[in-house]
Amino acid sequence: MSAFGQLWKRAPLWRLSLLVGIAGLGLAAFFPTPFLKAQCPWLPGSAESLEKTGPADSAAAVPQARFTYPDLRESLQGSVPLGAFILPLPEGTWHPLLAAQTPPPASFSYLAFVRLTGPVGTGGKVTGLLVVQVSPTPLPPAIADTMMAACHDDRNYMTQLRELPHETQCTFLSPTLLGQQTVSFNPLITETIARLHTLDMPLPPLMVMSGWRLFRPQTAEDGARASSASLPPAQVTSVDLLLAPTKPGTTRLLAPLQGWDRQEIGHVAAARSYVTAQKNWTGQWVARLNQGFHIPALEPSPTPRDPAFHGP
């Protein structure tokens, strides 16, 4: 009997490991990750659909998110139509970075835009990321409630809630660390950051997020099942704008990284001054968002220059 035959007969653990390894290679070939498929396009499997699961801060366990990548060279200014809405863009030139769609029950439309210090392909630094999520149909209560979780995060610099007759609005300002392995459990933001790294677009270690949530619960008149649960289904729109608190033309923060913590910012003048400026600006930004989402026939008025924009 050959040495292989003797090993096969006398080493059951090795035999099991070999079989599992072969099965794993087969699964990897027929169900490759996007990175593996890009490196080995001859593999038989498809990587068109990315499955994102796990606890989420904006979209709980979003299954089968299908991402597409627009032409980054397209330039956008002023505003962008989003179906029945109009999304006002902060000052500067924005580029479409990513779009995505998910199926029911967590049905979302995703869009992400990036702003750079220079034209695409010239090594410009990222000064802003704009991420938009719209649910065209009411979401299950658990998912809708999870999308509002950022409004109750005690790490926020500030949070404002507005209870209106048919909707709730939430505005918050929070630090977002980009240097850690998991930036966000939101698959859109995670994929957005991953694409920026793939495109070699330099990011600062931290950005300050101006977040806005529009929560519209389904009433009894909207559907017979609206009152069958303690929390009704709801449509949720989220707009997350991440701005870079950096020195012009660089990825260097205006203050040391630890100085941006909510507990420390009161002792760091540069960080405190920047956050105060973005907080004041966010109020004007939200006013433009309300125009675009509540009066779609009216073009939102121009948004004042945000504190992270260093253009002419």
Side-chain angles (χ1 to χ4, degrees):
M1 181 179 295
S2 66
F4 179 83
Q6 293 179 355
L7 186 61
W8 179 270
K9 183 177 180 180
R10 297 181 179 180
L13 185 59
W14 175 85
R15 185 168 67 241
L16 176 63
S17 299
L18 181 63
L19 292 174
V20 171
I22 294 173
L25 289 175
L27 290 173
F30 283 94
F31 303 97
T33 65
F35 175 79
L36 182 60
K37 185 66 175 179
Q39 300 300 314
C40 306
W42 42 267
L43 289 174
S46 171
E48 293 180 357
S49 180
L50 301 180
E51 184 174 344
K52 307 288 186 178
T53 59
D57 54 4
S58 293
V62 178
Q64 300 297 315
R66 187 172 295 274
F67 295 97
T68 58
Y69 305 94
D71 186 353
L72 196 62
R73 294 168 297 181
E74 184 180 353
S75 298
L76 303 168
Q77 293 180 324
S79 63
V80 175
L82 297 177
F85 313 117
I86 296 178
L87 175 69
L89 297 173
E91 191 167 348
T93 300
W94 293 81
H95 307 278
L97 185 65
L98 181 146
Q101 189 74 41
T102 63
S107 181
F108 294 102
S109 295
Y110 292 150
L111 283 173
F113 306 89
V114 63
R115 185 180 66 187
L116 306 170
T117 56
V120 173
T122 62
K125 309 298 189 296
V126 174
T127 64
L129 289 174
L130 181 57
V131 178
V132 184
Q133 298 180 207
V134 179
S135 60
T137 57
L139 300 170
I143 296 178
D145 189 56
T146 300
M147 288 189 68
M148 300 295 290
C151 302
H152 309 288
D153 195 326
D154 58 9
R155 293 168 295 183
N156 292 346
Y157 295 132
M158 71 92 176
T159 303
Q160 296 175 345
L161 287 170
R162 292 181 61 203
E163 298 285 349
L164 301 172
H166 302 291
E167 67 185 35
T168 298
Q169 288 192 31
C170 163
T171 304
F172 61 90
L173 197 68
S174 66
T176 302
L177 290 172
L178 302 180
Q180 54 192 12
Q181 185 175 4
T182 302
V183 174
S184 170
F185 288 110
N186 181 333
L188 174 60
I189 295 180
T190 300
E191 188 70 11
T192 298
I193 300 299
R195 191 180 187 211
L196 289 173
H197 287 309
T198 300
L199 296 172
D200 292 326
M201 292 185 176
L203 285 164
L206 173 142
M207 300 180 82
V208 178
M209 178 189 293
S210 294
W212 184 68
R213 300 289 183 271
L214 181 62
F215 181 89
R216 291 173 172 166
Q218 186 180 35
T219 64
E221 292 76 15
D222 297 328
R225 295 186 299 170
S227 59
S228 61
S230 56
L231 289 175
Q235 287 181 270
V236 182
T237 298
S238 73
V239 180
D240 292 325
L241 175 64
L242 287 78
L243 297 177
T246 54
K247 298 177 181 180
T250 74
T251 57
R252 297 195 303 272
L253 296 174
L254 296 171
L257 183 61
Q258 61 271 21
W260 298 90
D261 183 86
R262 180 185 174 185
Q263 305 301 324
E264 299 294 331
I265 198 168
H267 307 293
V268 184
R272 183 176 66 251
S273 176
Y274 176 87
V275 168
T276 298
Q278 186 166 334
K279 176 182 176 181
N280 294 335
W281 177 87
T282 298
Q284 302 174 74
W285 160 244
V286 168
R288 272 64 176 183
L289 287 173
N290 271 293
Q291 282 185 311
F293 280 82
H294 289 88
I295 318 175
L298 177 64
E299 182 77 13
S301 55
T303 304
R305 175 174 297 197
D306 61 82
F309 181 64
H310 305 298

